Amino acid sequence: MTEESENFTRCPTKNQEEADVGIFCYISQLPGFRGILKQRYSDFIVNEVDLDGNVVHLTSLEVPSELVENQEATLPEQSDKDYAAEIEMFRSLSGDTDSDRLKEFIDKIRTAAEDSTSPLVLSPSCDKSHRTAVHNFFKEKLKFLVTDTVDGPDVSSKCIRVRLDSGSNQSRGRSLRKRKVRGDKPFDSRGSDDWPEHRGKFLRFNLYKENKDTQEALRLIGKMLGVQPRSFGFAGTKDKRSVSTQMVTIFKQRASRLASLNERLIGIKVGDFCYVNEGLVLGQLQGNRFTITLRGVVADSEDTIKASADALGQHGFVNYFGLQRFGSGTVPTHLVGAALLRGEWKAAKCQVFFLTWILNLQRDTVRKIREYYKESNDIDGTLRKLPHNMVAERAILQCLKKCPVNYLQALKAIPRTLRMMYVHSYQSYLWNHAASIRVQKFGAEGVVLGDLVYCKEESSKDAMGVNSLAYEDDISTEMFDCGNPDEIPEPDVTEDRRHPVKVMDAEDLVKGNYSIEDVVLPLPGSRAIYPGNDIANVYHDLARKDNISLMESVHNVKEFSITSMTGGYRQVFQKPSDYEWEILTYNDGNRPLAETDLDVIAKSKPVTVICGDNTNNNKVNHSHVASMPDSCEGEGKFPSTDEADGVRESSNAQISQLALKLCFTLPTSSYATMAIRELLKTSTSVAFHKTLNNQT
């Protein structure tokens, strides 16, 4: 066995539990009850909340009439339109010579092959305002032509070049590659789309997806459009096993082109189009609106369910970082982070490999590749076998191929957004433990001496923006899959300067200006302030057990050093806002118990439903979908293989059961699964709820 193989065997193999990452307290002392989380992905509905507090919904799949493209921008040979009037207008602007040449140019492109038509270069002009007027003329009057500016015969002059806009037809991609005249300046790509000046440069749309993570959906749409995934902008990543709606932007794409994809997309829909001047970036949201249905509810009495549901709305929950924050592999991400903070590059590299491989162990091919590398340490052979979309693994191997023992450089080859998550995960690990000890020692009734709070005297508190960390709720396990690391958002761990913090003293307690909702705890960093009571020791004692100092670094690699990070703060207790709940009775386990955005659209208009292979007919028309099973629910449903876990056996389909439906809004840094944990008093791990599922 090679040394590399031995490193693999030293990696932990125990699946993590909530207590392993510091999650072991509740606010209320009420008894819990049984309920299955995400029995079906449609039981977990997420709607983004924008910066203005509006809940994002998919309301229309159509392009608004005011956004419909002007059909006059088609090629002139496709119509009998006479451009004599436009030529005469151009004559008054540029004179006889250029207007006559323009007429000949238009006549030529009517009859000649597109690629054989050379561009028209107008007479030189030193007047910039005149050139601007000419550009505007073509944009307004001759939309099938586009213009750009090239150098004139002398230094002070410029010429306007006119050409056919090949973006108007389906040969666009072919002609763009050929559109260059020998000895001339290449065409200005900014004018190739004939994008109107009055229109915003970004198309914003609402993305609706079922059982797909955000990156997966955008990769598919990007492939259909022929653009890279990085062309899209979005405020946050939504959970895969859910039905979610969020805003997305894309640069200079027409609404009609996006809308035309709806007929081909399965489990994804786009709509509510508008043009805006700025693209979305990560963090531009207030939070998420959740509609969560817990199925198979069993309790001592219905009063127990009601009391627990009321208590969640009144008192909230401990604002832990959920299990999703620490990955789904057998090596938790915070252990990798700890190795990085200690400067153990070789151990960290081993753990990263084991983590990312474990996430793909369900794929036989990848499992065989892992075993091959584990036994042979053959980098070249592994690279030949490794799928190209596993970017991080390939980056590490390629770096080790050049520098076999430079493990630090190999780790730095991982895209920064992913590798920094390991250190941030360790910060979250410390925070969770500190929060649990705070609840254990001082309860959840009020502030105590030494508590850390946001300072009300210096800054007013915005309930939705109070957290300094913008981790998305219920981040999909794919967030930790190195297959697509470039699209993983980097959490913001900078100090929240909007809300200065202070340590509670005796005078503050007497005044009574602060409540339990104001209590925060730090995420370690060079500028982080710690509580003035015993909770501060939790951080240092726990880090010391991992041979880590929070006050000094043992190495000089800044990105893997807590002392080089500023730190941040996070509320210890979180209340859901706009909170509602109801108890439901159902007989059919396949029947949806909450309406999705697509269900609402389907009520007003018959839609074509695309079902999976387990149905007899692939297309069915429905005008109402409230009673449809999840396997064929709404427009574009396509159940995946993991959806089968939630399908009840037919023999149990008619047994009357209880369900609890909850609707609430949380800020971006809070985990809905932690709210459900407070309610049920049970683990939120996927494995646990699969066990419950199998018992139904």
Side-chain angles (χ1 to χ4, degrees), residues 102-160:
L102 177 60
K103 182 179 184 303
E104 293 176 3
F105 179 70
I106 292 176
D107 290 341
K108 183 177 180 180
I109 61 176
R110 283 176 180 272
T111 58
E114 178 186 337
D115 291 335
S116 66
T117 305
S118 299
L120 168 66
V121 179
L122 301 178
S123 301
S125 173
C126 299
D127 186 350
K128 185 176 181 180
S129 61
H130 174 262
R131 295 197 304 269
T132 300
V134 173
H135 284 302
N136 289 336
F137 170 83
F138 281 96
K139 289 180 179 179
E140 295 173 6
K141 304 299 182 182
L142 299 174
K143 295 184 178 183
F144 60 90
L145 300 175
V146 292
T147 59
D148 62 354
T149 304
V150 296
D151 294 332
D154 54 69
V155 177
S156 60
S157 67
K158 298 287 185 181
C159 296
I160 291 179

Side-chain angles (χ1 to χ4, degrees), residues 280-301:
L280 286 169
V281 296
L282 289 165
Q284 287 186 327
L285 73 167
Q286 277 195 6
N288 294 292
R289 178 74 177 168
F290 295 92
T291 302
I292 299 175
T293 304
L294 300 173
R295 292 182 184 255
V297 171
V298 178
D300 295 338
S301 67

